[in-house]
Amino acid sequence: MWRPHSCCFMSSQPTILFLHGFAESREVWTEFTRDFPDGYRLLTLNLPGHGTNVHDIRDYSMEAQARYVAEQLRQKNVERALLVCHSMGGYVALAFAERYPEMVAGLVLFHSTALPDTSEKKANRDKNMDFVRRHGVEKFMESFIRPLFAPANRECMLEQREFLEEIGKTTPEATVLGALEAMKNRPDRTKVLREARFPVLFIAGKDDVAVPAESLLPQLALPAQSHALLLSDVGHLGYFEEPELTRRAVVDFAEVVFK
């Protein structure tokens, strides 16, 4: 389940944990982490119900997923980590930071937000759940993934789109429904940002339809130490749409976190 960046690492190395988003898996980070500089212990995992982690999952809440992350870190003797989190992974990380702030060295909200769902967003979650129940996960993914890319990237990034669709289509229906319901019901966690004793990096796409960039602007002022990267012609998938810029931002941020 875990993927260390190198087969040889020291427990004293600064640790970066990558958390994927809804209907994704740890595989989305494979290319993104490939050219990271030496000196970091890079870890990825499949959140409950995703990838190969699909056995006996009964609770998809952000709190339950945060407990799972804490258990995995403790098993690896990780006391503190920089969390790099895409979309739903950010919701999990915020729940984690709320419950285990001492384990957070820094936080990257990669197209994610501390705000709860709006009434409109909740209604869309309900519509998506109804669609999945009526038509299945495969049909849902055929229409769900494409709009997550910026308009400029939807045709030229066909390979990346198909890659994400394939991961999504293999996600169990129970996970898709459970995660949608859990995201719909997650609370406001702006207090976590306001009380954060760790630095926070926001990465946002100007064409993100899932987490609009304008909704993040007020959140930038909440942490005591806040950093931001706002990207043009990028939607909800900056790790594919602007891999070099976003990788560099994370690497530079890691240097700040672990200086």
Side-chain angles (χ1 to χ4, degrees), residues 165-180:
E165 286 179 0
E166 202 56 40
I167 293 176
K169 288 176 180 179
T170 61
T171 306
E173 182 174 311
T175 298
V176 172
L177 295 175
L180 285 169

Side-chain angles (χ1 to χ4, degrees), residues 12 18 38 86 101 117 119 149-150 160 171 179 198 238 250 253:
S12 60
F18 293 83
D38 294 333
H86 179 243
D117 275 1
S119 297
F149 288 88
Q160 292 90 335
T171 306
F198 46 82
V250 172
F253 184 66

Side-chain angles (χ1 to χ4, degrees), residues 159-200:
E159 181 179 348
Q160 292 90 335
R161 196 177 91 201
E162 290 177 345
F163 173 75
L164 289 174
E165 286 179 0
E166 202 56 40
I167 293 176
K169 288 176 180 179
T170 61
T171 306
E173 182 174 311
T175 298
V176 172
L177 295 175
L180 285 169
E181 183 72 25
M183 289 189 290
K184 183 182 78 169
N185 294 326
R186 74 185 191 282
D188 184 322
R189 285 201 162 93
T190 50
K191 183 180 179 182
V192 176
L193 297 179
R194 194 175 297 111
E195 296 179 352
R197 296 183 179 180
F198 46 82
V200 181

Side-chain angles (χ1 to χ4, degrees), residues 24-58:
E24 297 178 350
S25 75
R26 68 181 188 180
E27 305 303 325
V28 303
W29 300 114
T30 300
E31 289 300 319
F32 190 82
T33 58
R34 193 178 301 281
D35 295 325
F36 257 68
D38 294 333
Y40 296 107
R41 182 185 182 187
L42 305 188
L43 301 173
T44 63
L45 58 75
N46 288 316
L47 289 169
H50 294 78
T52 57
N53 186 15
V54 294
H55 304 293
D56 195 30
I57 310 299
R58 301 181 182 181

